[in-house]
Amino acid sequence: MKKLSALLLTLAMLLTLFSMSVAQPSAEETEAAVPSAGIIPIPEDATTVTGPETAYGTEYVVIRTWEQLSVFMSLANEASQNKNYILANDIDLTDATPLSSGAKLDWNLVLDGNGYSIKNPTFAEGIDIEVLKLSGNNTVRNLSIGTKDAPIAATSETAGKTHGLMTAYLSTAGAINLENVHIYANLTVKDSNIGGFFGKATNTNNVTLRNCTFNGSVTLNATKECNAGGFVGAYDNGKVTVKSCDNNADITTLGTAGQTRSGGFIGYTNI
């Protein structure tokens, strides 16, 4: 009996040591997972390249500019659906006109950032702060919005808006898949729903985020009910799955509103 007790005690100690050795990744380890640019080499004059197979085949349309991103993949382009798209370089909006809305991606398409970033956007006052606007059955992967060295800085003094850099207000019956997407931003807004990825998501059928991070800060100045989250400000009715994601941002709510809610991933849920 004593031998059995000693064996069980030894086994318990070994299991304890093993469990202690398994740790969640640190912010530094998460950042190290951000892919290097140019995962798929793209020749300078190429308009299409071959990449990993998706539901739409192995051909990818090459995107080099914001104009191409906005037009080729747009809801207004009848030929944009059922295709794969890939960035050949960073898209730098330093000298661009302030965005009045995000680039509206059509249904049924894949955007592979190829390890590159969309960086240095500015935003017109009075609009929803967003860089992209997803429709449905969209996959976005291997993309950074902002960078570690140059996080997006955006401020809005307009109340009653919805802010989220991936899509400000998401409502779709189609699936949304985000994989290896990293957002770097410092956002300050007033009396609005705000999240790093989505300001508000409602009536969504199936949203999945995998290996994604939000890095920076969210500050909400509130005088009425509103919500702030690292990934989603408010989530209402639907399905969302988060796998191996990290919020590396400070979420701050200021003001006197008694019903203001905040959270590291989601500020408020009503499911």
Side-chain angles (χ1 to χ4, degrees), residues 102-127:
K104 299 174 178 143
L105 308 192
D106 205 346
W107 283 72
N108 305 328
L109 56 79
V110 172
L111 172 59
D112 192 323
N114 201 23
Y116 291 109
S117 66
I118 302 172
K119 60 185 183 180
N120 299 317
T122 57
F123 305 89
E125 180 58 46
I127 70 157

Side-chain angles (χ1 to χ4, degrees), residues 159 189-192 220-226 254-260:
V189 303
K190 176 182 178 181
D191 289 338
S192 300
L220 171 60
N221 296 302
T223 61
K224 63 179 184 179
E225 180 181 326
C226 42
L254 306 172
T256 58
Q259 291 183 295
T260 298

